[in-house]
Amino acid sequence: MHPMLNTAVKAARRAGNIINRASLQLDSVSVSTKGPGDYVTDIDRIAEDAIIQTLSDAYPDHAFVAEESGVTGGESDFRWIIDPLDGTKNFIHGFPNYAVSIALAVRGQIEQAVIYDPNRNELFTASRGGGAFLNDRRIRVSPCLSLDTAIVCVTSGFGVQHPQSPFITDLITKSNGFRRLGSTVLELAYLASGRLDAYCGLKQNAWDTAAGSLLVLEAGGLIGDLQGEQTWMRTGNVLAASPKIFAQLVKTFNPQTGSAD
């Protein structure tokens, strides 16, 4: 395992231990809102602090982009992208679908990725060019070939009207099944491991998708924006799947472009 990935794993497990302990005493967790339907707990912040401390102790010159504390650490070619607890609403309700996400971008390219599910003790890792793994077992995207046999996942603000809403409805209708886990990082990890066949996310933040994007690529999948291009990190609009399904996703959102093979 790459030394930087090994450090990220230590940081993720440290955060996971904090989250697991707190999950046993949810009544004592402090909850506040950042916006409509957007919650944060003191555990999010404590876990994030623990991650940043672990990483900065090992790499004091690196920079950080984290959900709760924003951009810290100054200028650096090495930037850690952190979501300490993705699925906070699930966590608050005792619903065991949430995870820790840590990615390392080097000069803007994601090179290392960790997603850790503390409930199931499942550790998803990837290094660029080195494959994707679940608890040291190599993982691959699903062999599913067609949307009509695929289980798809869509992450978007329910109750919010998006310009893409008709296309999302079309995607769900075409598929064999629809799932929403309430944790984008787990959804991408599940896609990389073949548990889901296709993913669509709208208006996602960098910390939601950074680690998962490398997992998907290293597991043999593709990731792009709604046109199949590489602006997804900037726009937050993300499609991901195996190559065959990816073409069909892009076609669903761009029906005027012709048939997808």
Side-chain angles (χ1 to χ4, degrees):
M1 183 180 288
H2 190 283
M4 290 185 180
L5 183 61
N6 189 50
T7 303
V9 168
K10 291 179 181 177
R13 288 195 181 278
R14 183 179 176 188
N17 289 336
I18 292 168
I19 293 166
N20 272 344
R21 287 196 300 270
S23 71
L24 302 176
Q25 300 177 336
L26 286 176
D27 289 346
S28 64
V29 172
S30 175
V31 181
S32 57
T33 58
K34 296 187 288 185
D38 188 7
Y39 299 93
V40 63
T41 72
D42 55 340
I43 304 306
D44 291 73
R45 297 188 175 97
I46 293 168
E48 183 172 291
D49 289 346
I51 292 169
I52 292 175
Q53 180 182 356
T54 301
L55 295 174
S56 60
D57 284 349
Y59 306 107
D61 296 330
H62 288 192
F64 301 90
V65 179
E67 180 174 13
E68 308 309 332
S69 56
V71 179
T72 57
E75 295 295 326
S76 175
D77 287 340
F78 296 84
R79 177 166 291 192
W80 295 94
I81 305 171
I82 301 162
D83 193 335
L85 176 52
D86 185 61
T88 299
K89 279 190 278 191
N90 287 347
F91 171 74
I92 293 168
H93 285 82
F95 187 73
N97 276 350
Y98 44 83
V100 180
S101 179
I102 303 173
L104 174 63
V106 181
R107 291 180 289 276
Q109 180 169 265
I110 306 299
E111 296 287 343
Q112 310 293 337
V114 175
I115 293 175
Y116 179 53
D117 178 349
N119 287 292
R120 301 168 182 85
N121 194 29
E122 289 191 331
L123 181 72
F124 300 85
T125 59
S127 293
R128 182 167 294 276
F133 296 84
L134 167 55
N135 292 343
D136 299 321
R137 176 179 61 83
R138 186 74 178 259
I139 55 176
R140 299 288 295 178
V141 293
S142 163
C144 180
L145 297 177
S146 178
L147 266 179
D148 61 6
T149 59
I151 294 179
V152 304
C153 180
V154 177
T155 300
S156 85
F158 281 80
V160 177
Q161 186 68 23
H162 294 283
Q164 299 85 8
S165 293
F167 303 112
I168 293 173
T169 300
D170 189 28
L171 173 62
I172 294 172
T173 301
K174 286 178 178 177
S175 72
N176 187 44
F178 165 67
R179 305 289 185 269
R180 186 172 189 244
L181 305 182
S183 170
T184 296
V185 303
L186 276 185
E187 289 161 349
L188 288 170
Y190 283 11
L191 174 67
S193 59
R195 296 174 181 174
L196 296 170
D197 301 307
Y199 171 85
C200 171
L202 301 180
K203 302 302 180 184
Q204 300 300 293
N205 294 298
W207 48 78
D208 297 318
T209 56
S213 69
L214 185 60
L215 280 170
V216 169
L217 292 171
E218 291 296 325
L222 295 176
I223 188 165
D225 60 20
L226 301 184
Q227 289 73 45
E229 305 298 334
Q230 294 303 301
T231 70
W232 57 271
M233 186 72 85
R234 185 177 73 251
T235 65
N237 295 329
V238 183
L239 300 177
S242 64
K244 192 73 174 183
I245 298 294
F246 186 80
Q248 296 169 55
L249 290 180
V250 173
K251 170 61 179 173
T252 300
F253 282 86
N254 303 274
Q256 74 284 357
T257 60
S259 62
D261 295 328

